[in-house]
Amino acid sequence: MAEKLSEDFFKRDVLEVAPELVGKVLARRLEDGTVLRERIAETEAYRGEEDKGCHASKGRTKRTELLYGESGVIYVYLCYGVHWLMNVITGRNGQPQGVLLRAGKVHGGPGKLTKYLGVDGSFNGRRICSEPDIWIEDDGYRPEIVTAPRVGIDYAGEYWRDVPWRFIAKE
DNA sequence: TTAGTGATATCC
DNA sequence: GATATCACTAAA
């Protein structure tokens, strides 16, 4: 029943992809063969150079290069030296867009999610639709979505801080 | 509320 | 080479 998401899913605008990703299942196969599954409960959209909350707004750098690259690429970012945050690149090539996977249903919180799944910097730049040990499934579940302003980007200024590009599955 | 953490970027 | 920054969490 569960279908692996294809690259086409990520080739649309981030504002279409981000809400649809909520309710999907993030799957991860560990080295010993164990498969972990975590329902995505919360995502955030980061879109374009004009979005002051987006890393790419500061210009194209080695770190943000991936945001401009191909859809379906995993962008893993180490925050505060402690937490790995996981994004998936969306949209047309050349357009810096990405969806931040903020939380799973069980393990709420960006840092916790990646810690549970064992995701770290070695996943940066890999493709989520053609990897044997990490992928996203659609099992038909469609939660009700609520939107909210993004968090953790107070530096982005009033307008971008308040844009409701955070998507949460309603309980 | 505050401390801790380390890769990246931006200055010398 | 040296700082400053940061899409967070845990502890208090």
Side-chain angles (χ1 to χ4, degrees):
Chain A
M1 190 58 177
E3 274 182 43
K4 203 167 152 181
L5 295 186
S6 73
E7 191 177 315
D8 291 338
F9 181 88
F10 300 100
K11 281 194 171 166
R12 296 167 298 151
D13 192 276
V14 65
L15 293 181
E16 287 184 57
V17 177
E20 285 187 34
L21 225 40
V22 176
K24 297 288 186 291
V25 175
L26 180 62
R28 161 97 167 96
R29 187 189 300 278
L30 302 179
E31 288 176 14
D32 65 3
T34 309
V35 176
L36 301 173
R37 281 194 167 78
E38 178 80 356
R39 173 105 41 206
I40 298 170
E42 193 175 335
T43 65
E44 258 176 38
Y46 286 87
R47 186 172 190 260
E49 291 178 342
E50 55 182 18
D51 177 359
K52 295 292 184 299
C54 182
H55 286 167
S57 70
K58 290 172 183 169
R60 188 168 183 156
T61 66
K62 189 179 172 187
R63 183 160 97 188
T64 58
E65 183 115 21
L66 284 169
L67 290 170
Y68 293 80
E70 276 187 86
S71 304
V73 166
I74 305 169
Y75 168 52
V76 180
Y77 163 70
L78 181 65
C79 181
Y80 299 98
V82 185
H83 311 288
W84 293 104
L85 305 197
M86 183 175 158
N87 304 248
V88 182
I89 306 310
T90 69
R92 295 203 319 269
N93 293 354
Q95 213 176 9
Q97 302 190 344
V99 179
L100 167 67
L101 305 181
R102 276 193 67 82
K105 192 131 189 167
V106 182
H107 304 82
K112 287 185 195 167
L113 182 66
T114 50
K115 189 182 174 188
Y116 165 70
L117 294 173
V119 170
D120 62 19
S122 65
F123 283 81
N124 197 28
R126 295 173 59 187
R127 317 193 43 151
I128 202 160
C129 33
S130 56
E131 293 288 343
D133 51 6
I134 187 161
W135 67 94
I136 295 179
E137 300 177 341
D138 178 5
D139 65 357
Y141 181 66
R142 295 285 184 279
E144 205 176 326
I145 311 285
V146 292
T147 59
R150 296 177 294 179
V151 297
I153 52 167
D154 286 349
Y155 62 88
E158 269 182 51
Y159 178 76
W160 293 107
R161 192 177 55 211
D162 296 337
V163 166
W165 287 354
R166 183 171 165 217
F167 305 95
I168 309 163
K170 200 174 170 185
E171 277 301 322

